[in-house]
Amino acid sequence: MAFALCLPQLSLSGSGAIHDLVQLMCNQPARRPLIVTERALISFGLLDGLLGALRDQGFTPLVYDGVEPNPTDKVASAALASWQAGQCDALIGFGGGSAMDTAKAVRALVPTPANRSMTSKASARSSTRAPSWPASAPPRARPPK
């Protein structure tokens, strides 16, 4: 099993993290996760295992790959637009800190009873249901310096 850290969100890392994440998601009603990541990780094939495992279990994942270092509100807004367009119901951050930060921003912007007062603009723009639970996949390995 992967190392699991449960704060406001679940964060998994290490060997078996993708398997554990997919198994945890199988116990949830969500079926359309938005995966928030960087384009480079896709080009390296690092999402292939996660996408394949999710699809094998009947999920329909959507990928937002517009994350950039030190993401801005424009990046978060674009990721939120992907969430809304895909009618997503779960959230996975895949990569380093910027992907995690962007995923957390999307989670904060999706209207829910708990955060509706913080997100009046987002609430006015969308009636999309919030994820049943936010999830984070393993951060990418950093090259040694």
Side-chain angles (χ1 to χ4, degrees), residues 76-128:
S77 293
L80 177 63
S82 292
W83 166 278
Q84 293 166 331
Q87 299 179 338
C88 297
D89 56 7
L91 188 58
I92 300 171
F94 189 97
S98 294
M100 299 301 166
D101 289 346
T102 302
K104 289 187 282 186
V106 170
R107 179 63 179 100
L109 292 170
V110 171
T112 66
N115 68 7
R116 193 164 307 280
S117 62
M118 295 187 342
T119 60
S120 59
K121 286 184 182 178
S123 295
R125 290 192 308 259
S126 169
S127 62
T128 305

Side-chain angles (χ1 to χ4, degrees), residues 1-123:
M1 176 170 194
F3 171 75
L5 177 63
C6 299
L7 294 168
Q9 72 278 343
L10 173 65
S11 181
L12 300 171
S13 62
S15 178
I18 289 174
H19 174 268
D20 292 348
L21 174 63
V22 173
Q23 291 307 306
L24 287 168
M25 289 191 65
C26 285
N27 296 322
Q28 303 298 320
R31 291 290 158 228
R32 291 180 315 279
L34 176 66
I35 301 171
V36 178
T37 192
E38 301 167 35
R39 223 167 263 117
L41 299 184
I42 293 172
S43 67
F44 297 143
L46 297 178
L47 264 75
D48 294 349
L50 175 60
L51 291 170
L54 287 169
R55 289 179 182 133
D56 287 348
Q57 294 298 322
F59 292 92
T60 307
L62 176 68
V63 176
Y64 171 76
D65 65 356
V67 173
E68 49 193 52
N70 302 311
T72 64
D73 59 332
K74 291 179 183 174
V75 172
S77 293
L80 177 63
S82 292
W83 166 278
Q84 293 166 331
Q87 299 179 338
C88 297
D89 56 7
L91 188 58
I92 300 171
F94 189 97
S98 294
M100 299 301 166
D101 289 346
T102 302
K104 289 187 282 186
V106 170
R107 179 63 179 100
L109 292 170
V110 171
T112 66
N115 68 7
R116 193 164 307 280
S117 62
M118 295 187 342
T119 60
S120 59
K121 286 184 182 178
S123 295

